[in-house]
Amino acid sequence: MGDGEVLVAPALPDLFEDRGRRSALAAVLAHKAIVIGAAIVLVITLMAVCAPWLTPIDPTAIAPLERLKGPSLAHPFGTDMLGRDLFSRVLYGARISLFVGFVIAALSSIIGLVIGLVAGYWRRLDGIVMRLMDALMSIPGILLAIAFMAISGGSMGNVILAITIVEVPRVARLVRGTVLSVRRQAYVEAAVASGSRSLTILLSHILPNTIAPIIIQATYVCASAMLLESVLSFIGAGIPPSIPTWGNIMADGRSIWQLKPSMIFLPALFLSLTILAINLVGDGLRDLLDPRQAGNG
Amino acid sequence: MGTYIVKRILATIPVMALVAVVVFALLYFAPGDPAEVIAGDHASPETIAAIRQSLGLDQPLPIRFAAWAGQLLQGDLGVSVFSNIPVVTLILQRLEPTMSLMVLTTLIAVVVAVPMGVFAASRSGTWLDRALMGGAVLGFSVPVFATSYLLAWIFSMKLQWLPVQGYAPLANGVGTWFVHLILPSLALASVYIALIARITRTAVLEVLHQDYIRTAKAKGQGHRTILFVHALKNAAVPILTVIGLGVALLIGGAVVTESVFAIPGIGMLTVDAILQRDYPVIQGVVLFFSFMYVLVNLLVDIAYTFFDPRIEY
């Protein structure tokens, strides 16, 4: 928890410059991990979006006669203790998980970017802002989210808010580190010396350098947010149980898991696969953008 | 070195104070009224008002904060709304299972992950490296509760080698303690292993290119000595750092693992407190774990000095 800068990717390689744009795309497409990861995310996203066409059964429809059935043609994943179709529930659950993950990744990136830019550029604010971020990061993330949820009550908005509060300091710290290292570059000092306005320097010279690290970080935030959401739902402090999410399906399955382990393992499999795919994309992008760490295959 | 340690310890005090303020502020500004949450869905306005008064929630912010901070300074975390037992007592009662789980998990994780990372670094670019690091990404992606249920399903239900759930205190013998704790610890360790192995690999790789390693090779030192003595010692600082930071994952994971394996620890206390809407217990547990996290990282900072004498303030 030492003070100081985070290790960040060195100033951007050619990848994101105009003349390099074509080769950047080629480099991304040539990276196996990114392609595989992105393909899996795409398939699961399509599944989530097309859920109403992939299954005719309402994921919340209760059918007492069909309780705890094994897999069949009508119910490929079987049914839960209320006779609800697990295949539908898993498909519709993907919508919530992905939505929560993407929204939190976007929100945390934007808020973290603003805080990091401000702290890194206006040194007077740095002390206060970063001490606050450090304090937030000293509270273990899951507990912070649990405490927040326990008081504000279960709703999708509160889940998003709680997890965003957990993730923002990590992004802010990363952006601040990047700003600090870019500030020392000759071209920024030249811009300062020539009397450019702070806002111009910040937006046109410093901001572009933070984009690559933020994109990489956003993938990790997305993965971590989906994981946190499922944990919150699983222990009963997340999205209301009436909404089918992967975490809620597993929470339903907790009491009968020895009888019907698939209620835990099926959503867990989809969740793990999605998170793995997002992590693959993140690791791949880091390989490409940060040569220091290259060689992860 | 002595002054560094003293300064480092003193620097922890404002951090802990700030953490306490942040916890208080977050819970204060969180949407929703704890009194309403505690009272439940069908409570009358009078009940809610009574709860609000008994918790001091009707007082203005500065008075509430002063009262709470004053209690905290005396080591008082308030009283459980549900059982009327002081939160500190509740936490102390449940300390042993949680600490056992965390210590065993950390031991397993370090013993597995450090050699794993060193081997991956020494064979960097080969299939072994890719397999090990692929395993690490996998460990990072599978949620702890999924790993917990998977291990319980294989080893307790199918093979029936180990008990499915529960905890046996250390006082009843190390054997039963270990048998009850090994599955939860393994499940919890999976994420930690992934984290430590990846950093170890990166740190060792960086060191392996340095001149003194070439010197050691030229001197005819064995491959293993070079890797585990020369390289690892100099890669120790980032590895220690991530072990310290990983404690946050461990704490979060303990909440989940304890509720899957029915271990009566602080994690279970937390989950019960959520279901019982026991606001003081939740606040107390968050503070307790946050302080623990800060202290672990203080220890890590101090441990740096043994590996890298250059570190000073």
Side-chain angles (χ1 to χ4, degrees):
Chain A
M1 299 222 316
D3 187 25
E5 297 154 43
V6 204
L7 286 176
V8 291
L12 263 192
D14 292 348
L15 286 177
F16 278 73
E17 282 176 23
D18 276 343
R19 66 186 164 77
R21 196 159 276 165
R22 174 158 249 148
S23 65
L25 190 66
V28 167
L29 287 178
H31 201 289
K32 257 187 277 172
I34 299 183
V35 174
I36 295 172
I40 297 174
V41 175
L42 195 70
V43 168
I44 292 177
T45 311
L46 278 176
M47 252 177 49
V49 173
C50 302
W53 295 281
L54 290 173
T55 168
I57 305 173
D58 179 352
T60 55
I62 293 172
L65 290 178
E66 299 283 311
R67 278 198 315 261
L68 292 174
K69 286 273 160 67
S72 65
L73 263 182
H75 305 292
F77 289 176
T79 58
D80 70 3
M81 65 283 188
L82 296 175
R84 294 175 296 194
D85 179 50
L86 280 175
F87 182 64
S88 300
R89 292 181 73 73
V90 169
L91 281 188
Y92 279 89
R95 292 181 157 196
I96 312 282
S97 288
L98 289 171
F99 177 77
V100 167
F102 290 150
V103 168
I104 292 172
L107 272 180
S108 316
S109 301
I110 295 167
I111 302 172
L113 175 66
V114 172
I115 295 178
L117 282 178
V118 167
Y121 196 77
W122 283 285
R123 309 292 296 145
R124 226 171 288 168
L125 289 169
D126 187 39
I128 304 171
V129 173
M130 290 324 287
R131 284 301 80 72
L132 207 63
M133 293 293 122
D134 284 349
L136 268 178
M137 281 170 72
S138 303
I139 308 169
I142 292 182
L143 278 179
L144 182 58
I146 287 176
F148 191 90
M149 291 307 298
I151 285 164
S152 40
S155 77
M156 176 121 67
N158 285 341
V159 167
I160 290 174
L161 191 58
I163 302 177
T164 304
I165 294 175
V166 172
E167 302 289 353
V168 159
R170 284 153 238 274
V171 182
R173 214 158 203 275
L174 178 77
V175 173
R176 170 183 174 270
T178 313
V179 174
L180 286 184
S181 63
V182 173
R183 260 176 79 101
R184 273 186 239 113
Q185 307 262 333
Y187 73 93
V188 176
E189 282 177 0
V192 176
S194 68
S196 297
R197 286 167 54 224
S198 288
L199 205 62
T200 316
I201 297 174
L202 205 53
L203 293 184
S204 59
H205 298 307
I206 293 180
L207 182 67
N209 288 287
T210 61
I211 302 297
I214 279 206
I215 291 175
I216 299 170
Q217 187 68 18
T219 61
Y220 295 135
V221 169
C222 182
S224 140
M226 291 177 64
L227 209 58
L228 264 175
E229 183 275 316
S230 72
V231 169
L232 287 178
S233 299
F234 180 74
I235 61 175
I239 292 173
S242 55
I243 302 173
T245 73
W246 289 341
N248 279 340
I249 301 171
M250 290 186 273
D252 287 340
R254 273 178 69 177
S255 51
I256 50 165
W257 81 275
Q258 300 189 348
L259 190 69
K260 198 170 171 66
S262 62
M263 267 184 80
I264 301 277
F265 292 137
L266 278 172
L269 183 69
F270 277 88
L271 180 64
S272 308
L273 193 65
T274 313
I275 293 174
L276 179 68
I278 296 172
N279 279 335
L280 281 179
V281 174
D283 283 357
L285 288 175
R286 198 191 49 193
D287 270 0
L288 286 182
L289 298 169
D290 184 357
R292 240 168 42 92
Q293 301 246 351
N296 272 331
Chain B
M1 191 167 121
T3 41
Y4 165 77
I5 294 175
V6 173
K7 274 186 187 165
R8 196 61 199 75
I9 291 172
L10 290 178
T12 311
I13 296 169
V15 174
M16 287 168 97
L18 199 57
V19 167
V21 173
V22 167
V23 168
F24 180 86
L26 269 178
L27 300 189
Y28 180 83
F29 289 112
D33 179 352
E36 265 175 51
V37 175
I38 291 166
D41 294 333
H42 307 291
S44 65
E46 291 79 30
T47 321
I48 294 174
I51 291 174
R52 192 171 289 141
Q53 204 182 0
S54 73
L55 285 176
L57 296 176
D58 52 347
Q59 305 285 332
L61 173 64
I63 293 180
R64 268 180 70 183
F65 179 72
W68 177 80
Q71 280 185 344
L72 188 64
L73 283 176
Q74 296 166 23
D76 181 356
L77 290 173
V79 175
S80 159
V81 177
F82 185 75
S83 62
N84 253 331
I85 299 172
V87 176
V88 174
T89 315
L90 283 173
I91 290 178
L92 289 179
Q93 280 171 356
R94 312 251 188 153
L95 199 57
E96 189 202 300
T98 303
M99 286 301 136
S100 303
L101 176 64
M102 287 188 176
V103 170
L104 190 60
T105 303
T106 310
L107 278 179
I108 294 174
V110 172
V111 168
V112 174
V114 171
M116 193 172 145
V118 172
F119 277 123
S122 74
R123 306 265 197 293
S124 98
T126 65
W127 65 269
L128 184 74
D129 176 30
R130 282 180 197 195
L132 287 175
M133 287 306 111
V137 179
L138 196 66
F140 220 74
S141 307
V142 181
V144 173
F145 51 81
T147 322
S148 300
Y149 279 117
L150 193 63
L151 290 176
W153 189 65
I154 297 173
F155 293 101
S156 304
M157 284 186 59
K158 292 290 152 191
L159 298 172
Q160 307 208 324
W161 287 353
L162 295 161
V164 181
Q165 285 184 325
Y167 173 77
L170 249 181
N172 295 3
V174 178
T176 49
W177 173 83
F178 183 79
V179 164
H180 280 89
L181 218 50
I182 182 69
L183 282 187
S185 302
L186 280 175
L188 191 49
S190 62
V191 181
Y192 214 18
I193 290 173
L195 191 70
I196 300 173
R198 281 175 71 142
I199 291 290
T200 306
R201 176 183 177 276
T202 311
V204 170
L205 259 186
E206 218 147 88
V207 172
L208 280 182
H209 295 302
Q210 291 182 10
D211 288 343
Y212 77 92
I213 295 284
R214 204 172 22 171
T215 310
K217 270 186 203 155
K219 240 171 45 172
Q221 290 276 21
H223 192 55
R224 248 162 233 200
T225 319
I226 292 176
L227 279 178
F228 283 95
V229 179
H230 298 265
L232 194 56
K233 195 176 172 205
N234 282 275
V237 168
I239 299 173
L240 273 174
T241 307
V242 88
I243 291 175
L245 293 176
V247 169
L249 284 178
L250 210 56
I251 291 169
V255 175
V256 175
T257 328
E258 284 181 12
S259 69
V260 171
F261 287 98
I263 298 170
I266 304 174
M268 190 104 116
L269 180 69
T270 316
V271 176
D272 289 346
I274 297 168
L275 299 177
Q276 294 159 353
R277 303 165 171 194
D278 203 337
Y279 173 76
V281 172
I282 295 170
Q283 199 176 33
V285 168
V286 173
L287 263 185
F288 171 79
F289 273 137
S290 306
F291 284 173
M292 190 179 108
Y293 183 46
V294 172
L295 287 178
V296 167
N297 282 288
L298 168 69
L299 289 180
V300 166
D301 274 11
I302 292 173
Y304 287 164
T305 53
F306 297 109
F307 289 98
D308 191 346
R310 288 169 305 179
I311 288 178
E312 263 173 61
Y313 244 89

